[in-house]
Amino acid sequence: MRIDEIDQEDADIDWFATDSNGCILHVASGGGILPESVAASQEALLELHQYFLTLPETDSPVVTEADAGADEGSYQGFARYARRGLFSFAKTRLHDRADTRYYLVARPQRPLTVAELPKDIATLLRRTQLPSSVAQQNAFDAATIL
């Protein structure tokens, strides 16, 4: 079932993507419009969400410099994904549908890659891909998603 635009605007939906090197991103939508590849299937999104939250945690994530002054409690949701190997991003301007920019909140010490995933999960994840590598980026624009 497709996630309609009203639901997208009213919710902070966790979604996932891969980059050109196979690294995996977690993105908190912040009430923004989802990429069509994500919005197309609520079931696929739920399957990815459940998979990543059941992975064991690894070393502590590295929190980006830009967020170092913020309350540590606000990072907990982002940190749980980074401890599982995902680069974790938040929306730059919450609930601004037109804004497609996201900033890095937590970076994994050891990134998980698509090559390490079960085939069915990797197939779902590859539907949403950034055209570049996130390893050295502190931000990205969802409008560039393939």
Side-chain angles (χ1 to χ4, degrees), residues 59-132:
D59 296 330
S60 298
V62 175
V63 177
T64 62
E65 276 184 39
D67 300 317
D71 174 21
E72 189 174 320
S74 66
Y75 297 116
Q76 291 179 5
F78 298 97
R80 72 179 174 183
Y81 286 105
R83 285 191 298 267
R84 290 169 169 89
L86 284 66
F87 290 83
S88 192
F89 289 83
K91 184 145 174 67
T92 302
R93 293 177 21 203
L94 294 176
H95 300 288
D96 181 348
R97 291 172 47 97
D99 183 22
T100 57
R101 296 169 298 148
Y102 292 85
Y103 68 94
L104 182 67
V105 177
R107 178 187 312 274
Q109 288 185 3
R110 186 198 162 287
L112 180 67
T113 65
V114 175
E116 300 172 76
L117 301 178
K119 186 177 179 180
D120 59 329
I121 297 296
T123 299
L124 290 176
L125 189 59
R126 284 188 182 112
R127 293 179 184 177
T128 308
Q129 185 175 8
L130 290 178
S132 59

Side-chain angles (χ1 to χ4, degrees), residues 5-15 26-35 78 89-103:
E5 289 192 19
I6 299 289
D7 290 338
Q8 293 177 43
E9 188 175 349
D10 289 341
D12 186 13
I13 299 170
D14 291 325
W15 56 276
H26 155 259
V27 184
S29 74
I33 295 297
L34 301 173
F78 298 97
F89 289 83
K91 184 145 174 67
T92 302
R93 293 177 21 203
L94 294 176
H95 300 288
D96 181 348
R97 291 172 47 97
D99 183 22
T100 57
R101 296 169 298 148
Y102 292 85
Y103 68 94

